[in-house]
Amino acid sequence: MRAAGHEGRVFDLAFNPVYSGLLASASDDNSVRLWGIAEGDQRETSKQTGVCIGHKDSVLRVSWHSEGQILASASADTTAQLWRLPPEKASIGSGPSDGDLIQTLQGHPEEVYACEFVGENQLLTASVDCLFLWDLQSGACLHQAPGSQQPQTSGQAVPARWRPGYVFSAKIQPGGSMVATACSDGVLRVWDLRSQRLHTVCSLPLHEGMAAACAWDAHGHCLSSVATNGSITAMDMRTQHTIWCGTASCGLRDCCYLPNNMAKVNCLVAAGTDGALHLYHHSETQGGIAQVHSCQPQPQSLLSVNSSQDGALLASAGE
């Protein structure tokens, strides 16, 4: 199934956690678009059901609140925005329903490359090498964690555009208190969110290339990251030991775990610059087999991949 409507690259995707047939996409065309996917026998039917327009530059990241009615977007215009959209109004068979802008979070130094809800009342964002924790009701910044001033540790030079430690991805640990960030110097930095402040847990120099994305498994035990040079690493964060590592045949730009349907077996999906989805199966203690599934007959670079919480849908997008 394909869907078209953006006028630029699609940088990020997010399935609604309550209505699995509702997908949000963030694009180079300064917009967030909403897509409805039919259920049952009509699974291959989709349509654009809404749009959120308010950013003045590319929208880089998007995420849903756990209740499914508030959407966060992060942009190259140095802001994050909060949108309200009742998902039941954006389902297949109903008319378009655009999001209502309810909050603009300002004060980031540069582009915002992450927006993740923390519990019910807070939002985490990332800009340059800093993390920001926001109160949703007041829009106030509760805490800013300054970036690491450590020198670059990877073997590959970081382009001048991305200073060492520049955050490209931030993911909250399911059922836990940590947030992981994938950074331009190939380092995976992990923070503790307890007490409404951000404290450094560890810095893991895992990649020779720039780390592009990271993902937790459903249990919050395994943390994987992918890099622009194709390297992949999975860690057991209970012990901070490497479970497995490997290298894809192309650069990787994003990753996510599929819902865990088999006890202690995980499936990591990575979006490749070859236009394919790369699937890797591993347990919580060791690696396993790798499979590659092409998603385009004429490959173009993929920039994002996301799975619905029920595992019934997997979406990818890119250039």
Side-chain angles (χ1 to χ4, degrees):
M1 175 182 63
R2 293 171 181 263
H6 282 295
E7 297 177 357
R9 295 170 293 177
V10 177
F11 292 117
D12 198 22
L13 299 166
F15 277 101
N16 188 286
V18 178
Y19 301 84
S20 62
L22 182 59
L23 177 70
S25 56
S27 174
D28 215 3
D29 64 9
N30 303 359
S31 75
V32 174
R33 297 184 186 269
L34 304 168
W35 310 88
I37 303 171
E39 298 181 356
D41 293 339
Q42 302 298 319
R43 269 297 190 194
E44 294 188 358
T45 301
S46 68
K47 69 175 183 178
Q48 183 177 315
T49 60
V51 62
C52 302
I53 297 178
H55 285 293
K56 299 178 181 179
D57 206 337
S58 302
V59 184
L60 305 173
R61 299 291 183 265
V62 65
S63 67
W64 290 98
H65 189 276
S66 60
E67 294 180 354
Q69 296 190 13
I70 296 178
L71 185 72
S73 57
S75 172
D77 67 7
T78 75
T79 72
Q81 294 184 336
L82 298 174
W83 308 83
R84 187 182 302 280
L85 181 99
E88 63 272 14
K89 294 183 179 180
S91 62
I92 286 290
S94 66
S97 180
D98 297 342
D100 295 323
L101 179 62
I102 58 176
Q103 191 77 258
T104 297
L105 306 177
Q106 304 183 58
H108 302 96
E110 294 182 20
E111 301 103 319
V112 186
Y113 266 96
C115 58
E116 291 284 317
F117 287 97
V118 181
E120 301 297 318
N121 302 310
Q122 296 175 355
L123 184 76
L124 178 83
T125 61
S127 181
V128 191
D129 56 355
C130 302
L131 298 182
F132 301 79
L133 193 61
W134 304 85
D135 178 76
L136 295 183
Q137 293 186 345
S138 66
C141 183
L142 302 174
H143 182 60
Q144 175 182 344
S148 171
Q149 299 302 314
Q150 298 176 7
Q152 117 186 19
T153 55
S154 65
Q156 176 178 313
V158 176
R161 177 69 180 86
W162 313 113
R163 72 180 66 178
Y166 203 112
V167 176
F168 286 144
S169 172
K171 296 298 180 182
I172 305 295
Q173 180 188 30
S177 62
M178 292 189 288
V179 56
T181 58
C183 304
S184 61
D185 54 3
V187 176
L188 196 66
R189 293 182 171 86
V190 182
W191 306 74
D192 193 316
L193 283 166
R194 284 175 291 190
S195 71
Q196 297 188 354
R197 298 182 68 83
L198 292 152
H199 302 281
T200 302
V201 175
C202 60
S203 295
L204 306 169
L206 301 179
H207 301 282
E208 294 297 313
M210 294 191 295
C214 57
W216 294 91
D217 73 346
H219 303 296
H221 299 161
C222 300
L223 175 63
S224 288
S225 57
V226 299
T228 57
N229 67 350
S231 63
I232 313 157
T233 301
M235 302 284 297
D236 184 343
M237 290 307 296
R238 294 168 296 183
T239 61
Q240 293 187 22
H241 290 314
T242 300
I243 299 172
W244 67 282
C245 57
T247 303
S249 58
C250 64
L252 300 175
R253 292 293 185 268
D254 196 15
C255 61
C256 72
Y257 274 103
L258 296 181
N260 194 346
N261 296 320
M262 297 179 290
K264 297 185 178 180
V265 176
N266 287 315
C267 180
L268 180 73
V269 184
T273 56
D274 61 353
L277 293 176
H278 300 248
L279 277 63
Y280 301 89
H281 298 270
H282 69 86
S283 71
E284 290 189 355
T285 58
Q286 62 183 5
I289 62 172
Q291 299 174 323
V292 178
H293 291 260
S294 177
C295 62
Q296 294 184 3
Q298 295 180 347
Q300 295 179 348
S301 180
L302 293 180
L303 301 175
S304 179
V305 63
N306 190 252
S307 170
S308 60
Q309 287 197 351
D310 61 8
L313 296 169
L314 183 67
S316 61
E319 296 182 352

